């Protein structure tokens, strides 16, 4: 039972969603399933049913934290995190409005900071995220200050010694 969406998921992720027999083990272990509408194995079923509009505009594909719990639990070795990645890629490439716009913004900011510095810089990333998503800048200042005082969040960004190699990775991915 293949269709455009399942073929595209397989091409991008290397995963064969038709192997799923819906034992539900992935969904039972997913730490964010309570916030999802369909859940991991529900999404796999919908891929096979070619319900592209519902899937690609759903918040579920953006809520996945990529923790791999589902992949570890799956008796058929389906890497659902990779499937979720491929669904996000398809949604962006086909200009679907993301079900969780802030998640897409967060992904883009993270990659932008890593591309420029060769490493993440949490203070810059979260500052930009708050400004662009219209979250009040000081609403969790207490937590941020605690991390800063413990030396966990440097205030000024520093470039990684491997930033050129990281830049090469971005170029190759393009
Ligand atoms: S654990 Fe694997 S086989 Fe079971 S429902 Fe999830 S994806 Fe399908
Ligand atoms: S990788 Fe995503 S779908 Fe799988 S268990 Fe983690 S959050 Fe849930």
């Amino acid at each position: 039972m293949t269709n455009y969406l399942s073929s595209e998921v397989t091409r991008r992720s290397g995963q064969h969603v038709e192997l799923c027999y819906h034992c539900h083990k992935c969904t039972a272990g997913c730490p964010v399933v309570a916030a999802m509408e369909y859940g991991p194995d529900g999404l796999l079923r919908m891929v096979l049913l070619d319900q592209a509009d519902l899937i690609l505009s759903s918040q579920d594909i953006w809520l996945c934290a990529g923790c791999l719990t589902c992949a570890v639990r799956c008796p058929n070795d389906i890497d659902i995190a990779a499937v979720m990645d491929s669904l996000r890629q398809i949604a962006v490439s086909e200009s679907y409005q993301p079900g969780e716009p802030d998640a897409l913004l967060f992904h883009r900011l993270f990659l932008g900071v890593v591309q420029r510095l060769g490493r993440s810089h949490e203070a810059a990333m979260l500052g930009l995220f708050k400004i662009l998503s219209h979250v009040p800048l000081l609403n969790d200042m207490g937590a941020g200050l605690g991390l800063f005082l413990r030396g966990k969040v440097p205030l000024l960004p520093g470039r990684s010694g491997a930033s050129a190699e990281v830049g090469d990775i971005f170029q190759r991915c393009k």
Side-chain angles (χ1 to χ4, degrees), residues 15-86:
Q15 303 303 302
H16 292 273
V17 297
E18 65 274 14
L19 294 177
C20 172
Y21 48 41
H22 300 284
C23 64
H24 218 56
K25 278 189 74 176
C26 53
T27 299
C30 174
V32 295
V33 72
M36 289 183 170
E37 191 171 1
Y38 308 115
D41 77 306
L43 283 172
L44 297 192
R45 184 73 184 144
M46 291 164 74
V47 169
L48 290 176
L49 293 173
D50 203 18
Q51 295 182 303
D53 286 345
L54 280 178
I55 298 169
L56 299 176
S57 58
S58 90
Q59 61 175 13
D60 289 17
I61 60 176
W62 296 101
L63 288 174
C64 169
C67 67
L68 293 175
T69 304
C70 49
V72 170
R73 291 170 67 95
C74 178
N76 290 320
D77 290 331
I78 302 172
D79 183 346
I80 303 176
V83 172
M84 294 288 198
D85 270 341
S86 68

